[in-house]
Amino acid sequence: MDIESADVIRLVEQFLKEHNLHKTLETLQDETGVTLNAVDSIDTFKDDIINGRWDLVLTNVEHANIPHAKLIDLYEQIVVELAELQDIGPARALLRQTEPMEIMRKEQPERYLKLEKLLSQSTIDSNTVSYGGTESKEASRLRIAGKLADEVSTAPPNRLLTLLGQAIKWQQETGGLVAADGISFDLFYGRTMQPLQPSEDAMPDKPLATIKFPKKQHPNSMAFSPKSDHLATGSADGFIEIWNFTTGKLASELRYQNEGSLMMMEEAVTSLAFSHSGDLVCSGAKDGKIRIWKIKSGSCHRRLLAAHTRDVSCVCFSHDDTQILSAGHDNVLRIHGLKSGNMLKEFQGHSAPVTSAVFSHDMRLVLSTSEDGTLRIWDCGSASCLYTVAPGSENIGLSIPTASNVMAVPGSPDIFV
């Protein structure tokens, strides 16, 4: 049986997609010319389109080989729907910053100008919005779903790991792979691994790299990306920079940084956090504003202009990257929808600035610490405080010690310190 090299590449591409390694997937597709062009389920893919779950749809079509004409229909539908919802910022970004819309602008200028005119209106009457000529919104979604479903195929999930597992099992049964119980086997080198010998703990004595900032541009906040390939810093002058922390230099693969076009807040950056996918970074500022940025392009993905009335002390993404949790010196925590930009929940109860806040892994709870010396556990659904813990209450003194930080224990998401 002959195995095509393109099939092997698609197995790797599916693995990369399932593990959210989107940059590596894009590079592999560009260099090989082989596209994955597969979804987990065609019925689910069509259902996402019919029900307007555009974030999921765009994720699936991003790396698929779909004709430009059909992509243009899809993107036009999304732009018009966002306009109908008065969500002009994202609609304008899709219209002006995506490849299908750029092709429309060049090849179908009248159609493109019609969308520009729609987005330039101060108020948009939903009764005057048209989809595909005389179609209703639902009929247009159904038509697009049918066209796009013809362009993609489906494949069982985890094919690469499944095939590797079957191959290993066959090797074990035929005697080609022998390893004693309790001994790890290195699949890449094809040999058993020697158990690690305990070594003496030692403090690091040399820095990996040093990043120097001008005195008035000192960093107020920093965050490592989840894949540990970048370090983001936010400075007193409002600039947000992405670094290669092994060299101490700006990440050279981000073209906008090389051109001096940096991400920037209007006031000092006071908090930073990467999304779990590593594609976005959220920044909070001294003036209470929050912005979410796309790492790859440096463009602003979402603005939360009235997130807090004072300094934003911390921000973090939910585990599915659909919500932002923020806290500030106004003693309040808030949850914001990443797609809508609207505030979804507000948590009040701290009597001093909040110093840190995190979601529980199942997103049912929020934990926060404050300068009032307490850690509070909140219910996400009702925004009510379930428990209040005062870690320093046993210490007798003239002042209450600040509860500075709360974080999940790595590998134990339901345990916090």
Side-chain angles (χ1 to χ4, degrees):
M1 179 179 65
D2 293 331
I3 298 176
E4 298 288 338
S5 60
D7 292 336
V8 177
I9 293 172
R10 288 192 182 93
L11 287 172
V12 176
E13 288 176 345
Q14 184 193 46
F15 177 85
L16 295 174
K17 179 184 176 182
E18 291 173 341
H19 289 76
N20 295 318
L21 300 173
H22 299 299
K23 292 180 182 178
T24 310
L25 171 60
E26 184 177 351
T27 300
L28 181 60
Q29 291 189 146
D30 289 343
E31 291 187 355
T32 62
V34 178
T35 55
L36 181 59
N37 232 46
V39 295
D40 295 337
S41 165
I42 291 180
D43 289 338
T44 301
F45 178 58
K46 291 177 66 175
D47 188 64
D48 288 339
I49 298 173
I50 292 169
N51 289 284
R53 293 189 281 267
W54 301 123
D55 52 341
L56 300 176
V57 174
L58 291 177
T59 299
N60 277 313
V61 303
E62 183 179 5
H63 304 295
N65 186 20
I66 295 175
H68 291 311
K70 295 184 179 182
L71 281 180
I72 287 173
D73 288 345
L74 170 65
Y75 277 73
E76 181 182 38
Q77 177 81 13
I78 300 174
V79 168
V80 174
E81 289 196 22
L82 289 172
E84 187 178 7
L85 294 171
Q86 306 290 332
D87 213 349
I88 303 301
R92 216 172 251 136
L94 276 177
L95 181 62
R96 298 176 181 177
Q97 300 177 18
T98 57
E99 183 180 359
M101 293 290 95
E102 178 63 18
I103 293 172
M104 176 199 278
R105 186 183 68 81
K106 293 178 179 178
E107 297 181 356
Q108 304 177 55
E110 292 183 2
R111 187 178 177 185
Y112 181 88
L113 289 174
K114 185 178 178 181
L115 293 176
E116 281 282 13
K117 184 177 179 181
L118 175 65
L119 298 183
S120 65
Q121 297 177 19
S122 55
T123 57
I124 298 174
D125 184 358
S126 59
N127 295 322
T128 64
V129 174
S130 62
Y131 295 91
T134 59
E135 287 181 321
S136 66
K137 176 168 64 177
E138 291 72 21
S140 183
R141 285 180 178 179
L142 191 60
R143 173 177 55 82
I144 293 171
K147 287 185 175 182
L148 292 181
D150 292 339
E151 300 296 334
V152 296
S153 58
T154 184
N158 300 314
R159 286 294 294 154
L160 180 62
L161 296 182
T162 300
L163 291 172
L164 284 173
Q166 293 171 347
I168 291 171
K169 185 176 181 181
W170 183 83
Q171 287 275 326
Q172 289 175 324
E173 291 178 350
T174 58
L177 190 156
V178 180
D181 292 338
I183 301 296
S184 299
F185 189 85
D186 190 317
L187 185 63
F188 183 77
Y189 289 105
R191 64 192 182 202
T192 56
M193 296 175 62
Q194 297 299 321
L196 293 175
Q197 300 297 323
S199 59
E200 183 180 351
D201 290 337
M203 293 291 291
D205 55 2
K206 292 190 299 184
L208 184 63
T210 301
I211 303 174
K212 294 184 178 180
F213 294 82
K215 186 175 182 180
K216 294 184 179 180
Q217 300 171 11
H218 60 274
N220 290 332
S221 55
M222 57 167 282
F224 282 99
S225 65
K227 302 182 184 110
S228 297
D229 53 353
H230 288 134
L231 168 68
T233 59
S235 303
D237 55 0
F239 283 107
I240 301 157
E241 295 166 297
I242 309 297
W243 304 85
N244 179 333
F245 61 85
T246 61
T247 63
K249 297 180 180 179
L250 287 174
S252 58
E253 68 273 19
L254 302 178
R255 184 180 301 175
Y256 60 91
Q257 292 197 143
N258 297 332
E259 297 170 351
S261 180
L262 301 178
M263 298 175 283
M264 184 178 182
M265 302 290 285
E266 295 171 359
E267 296 285 344
V269 181
T270 52
S271 55
L272 286 172
F274 278 94
S275 64
H276 291 81
S277 67
D279 296 329
L280 302 173
V281 66
C282 179
S283 60
K286 190 176 180 65
D287 56 8
K289 297 178 181 179
I290 290 175
R291 291 188 181 182
I292 297 93
W293 309 85
K294 294 183 178 179
I295 298 295
K296 187 175 180 181
S297 64
S299 60
C300 184
H301 177 66
R302 179 71 64 200
R303 293 177 175 85
L304 308 177
L305 300 181
H308 291 273
T309 57
R310 295 181 59 192
D311 306 33
V312 180
S313 55
C314 67
V315 289
C316 77
F317 284 84
S318 61
H319 289 278
D320 59 2
D321 288 339
T322 61
Q323 297 176 356
I324 300 290
L325 172 64
S326 67
H329 286 191
D330 53 5
N331 309 350
V332 175
L333 298 90
R334 293 189 173 101
I335 294 177
H336 316 268
L338 183 58
K339 184 176 181 180
S340 66
N342 296 330
M343 185 186 73
L344 306 179
K345 297 288 181 181
E346 182 175 85
F347 306 84
Q348 296 191 28
H350 281 297
S351 59
V354 183
T355 54
S356 69
V358 293
F359 282 103
S360 65
H361 191 266
D362 58 9
M363 292 177 56
R364 295 174 58 188
L365 303 174
V366 164
L367 290 83
S368 63
T369 58
S370 168
E371 291 182 10
D372 63 13
T374 65
L375 177 146
R376 288 178 180 256
I377 302 174
W378 311 81
D379 178 75
C380 274
S382 63
S384 60
C385 182
L386 302 177
Y387 304 100
T388 300
V389 182
S393 59
E394 70 279 2
N395 296 326
I396 300 176
L398 298 177
S399 62
I400 300 174
T402 296
S404 300
N405 202 4
V406 60
M407 64 182 69
V409 175
S412 303
D414 295 324
I415 302 176
F416 296 83
V417 296

